Amino acid sequence: MPLMFIVLQGVSPAIFYGIPYCAWTCGIIIPPLVRHLKPRSFLQSPFTLFLRSFSTFSDRVLINLILSESPSGKPVVYLTPPKSKTGDWNPFSIGFAGLKLKHPFRSIPIILQADDKEWQPVADELIKHANLILIDLSNTSEAIKFEISLIRKAGRCTDTFGLLEQGQVLDTSVEKEFTGCQIPLLIYKRSWYRSAFELLVSLTIILPMTIVVFISPLVIILKLHFNNSLQQVFGTIGLIFVLILGAYVFITNFMRPSIENKFKKLLHAILCDG
């Protein structure tokens, strides 16, 4: 990109645009590269471990709140499956929710992939080293029960907080796993009212991206290769397709309720004190 500006417009625009571009590129490349060179180094520093069932409300919404409320310099660590389902990834969750102005590199979330054969020893090691453990109990599974048993065996009950959605009842089998391991439960509630602003911001981002990425190339192709009558036909079909695609992306990745503010403040206090 800087070389392109040098060729087309001279050195000054290249410097003006090139410096932030290079800084942005280094910010993307360097932190993951350092972590790959020393993949286990984060275990020696304080971090928050978040345990939850995959592809649930907790996995898609609650995790963003934890990322945004976690203190600077203390990353959030969580496991993900090798293949995620549609709607599991909000492309702005890590970029915005996990972004910290103070200690930005040390605060980047640590996402670990593990398949069904490997996740148990990985979870055991993370539980033993985590400074604070958050486990969502709203959607119980055999994996959640196993992780509870690991917490109990490792003696980490005092460093663990359970999260439960309002209206959900704690499973009796989960209560048995917690025998001799009493942990405080934090109750959270969904709120569409609080998500209104986030949905508006997401919409203002999605619309320009849709125009730049899909509609602009479509218009250029139609003008170069088709006459006026075909331009109208294919343009209408292409526009309908783009609108459907944009609506699908918005609904699957952004159309979700948020969490009430009361729980947000409580979570912030726990994460900062933990």
Side-chain angles (χ1 to χ4, degrees), residues 57 189-201 255-262:
F57 177 80
K189 181 182 179 181
R190 303 188 189 193
S191 173
W192 280 103
Y193 174 77
R194 286 204 68 250
S195 67
F197 178 74
E198 297 176 7
L199 291 174
L200 182 61
V201 172
M255 199 70 179
R256 299 163 186 169
S258 186
I259 307 293
E260 64 176 358
N261 196 51
K262 181 180 178 181

Side-chain angles (χ1 to χ4, degrees), residues 93-267:
S93 62
I94 297 174
F96 290 95
L99 177 65
K100 308 294 179 184
L101 297 179
K102 184 180 180 181
H103 307 305
F105 291 161
R106 284 192 289 164
S107 304
I108 297 175
I110 299 173
I111 307 168
L112 305 176
Q113 287 188 339
D115 58 27
D116 294 338
K117 297 179 181 180
E118 298 177 345
W119 76 269
Q120 293 181 349
V122 174
D124 185 31
E125 187 170 19
L126 292 175
I127 287 171
K128 290 177 180 177
H129 287 85
N131 181 252
L132 181 70
I133 302 171
L134 300 175
I135 180 168
D136 187 77
L137 305 172
S138 302
N139 297 275
T140 56
S141 62
E142 292 303 318
I144 290 292
K145 296 175 187 177
F146 179 78
E147 288 168 342
I148 295 171
S149 67
L150 292 178
I151 293 171
R152 190 182 66 250
K153 292 176 182 177
R156 302 305 311 276
C157 299
T158 55
D159 303 311
T160 302
F161 287 87
L163 310 178
L164 188 66
E165 185 177 353
Q166 188 177 54
Q168 297 284 345
V169 179
L170 196 61
D171 195 284
T172 53
S173 60
V174 172
E175 290 183 320
K176 291 180 181 178
E177 289 292 342
F178 276 120
T179 303
C181 181
Q182 298 297 323
I183 67 168
L185 281 178
L186 309 179
I187 308 299
Y188 63 89
K189 181 182 179 181
R190 303 188 189 193
S191 173
W192 280 103
Y193 174 77
R194 286 204 68 250
S195 67
F197 178 74
E198 297 176 7
L199 291 174
L200 182 61
V201 172
S202 302
L203 189 60
T204 57
I205 295 173
I206 285 293
L207 283 177
M209 287 181 61
T210 303
I211 293 172
V212 172
V213 177
F214 295 105
I215 296 181
S216 296
L218 176 65
V219 171
I220 294 172
I221 292 172
L222 289 174
K223 287 185 176 181
L224 290 177
H225 299 284
F226 298 95
N227 56 39
N228 291 334
S229 58
L230 290 177
Q231 283 181 18
Q232 294 180 356
V233 174
F234 288 113
T236 302
I237 296 173
L239 183 61
I240 293 173
F241 173 77
V242 168
L243 291 175
I244 293 174
L245 180 63
Y248 173 76
V249 171
F250 180 76
I251 291 172
T252 55
N253 290 279
F254 299 99
M255 199 70 179
R256 299 163 186 169
S258 186
I259 307 293
E260 64 176 358
N261 196 51
K262 181 180 178 181
F263 177 80
K264 177 182 177 180
K265 293 179 179 179
L266 178 62
L267 183 65

Side-chain angles (χ1 to χ4, degrees), residues 33-47:
L33 180 62
V34 171
R35 285 183 176 177
H36 278 289
L37 294 175
K38 297 181 179 179
R40 300 172 61 85
S41 61
F42 75 93
L43 294 173
Q44 310 306 321
S45 303
F47 66 88

Side-chain angles (χ1 to χ4, degrees), residues 6-54:
I6 291 174
V7 173
L8 297 178
Q9 299 181 10
V11 177
S12 297
I15 295 174
F16 181 78
Y17 292 101
I19 291 176
Y21 175 79
C22 292
W24 175 72
T25 305
C26 292
I28 291 176
I29 295 174
I30 293 176
L33 180 62
V34 171
R35 285 183 176 177
H36 278 289
L37 294 175
K38 297 181 179 179
R40 300 172 61 85
S41 61
F42 75 93
L43 294 173
Q44 310 306 321
S45 303
F47 66 88
T48 298
L49 176 62
F50 181 44
L51 304 172
R52 80 280 179 221
S53 296
F54 298 142

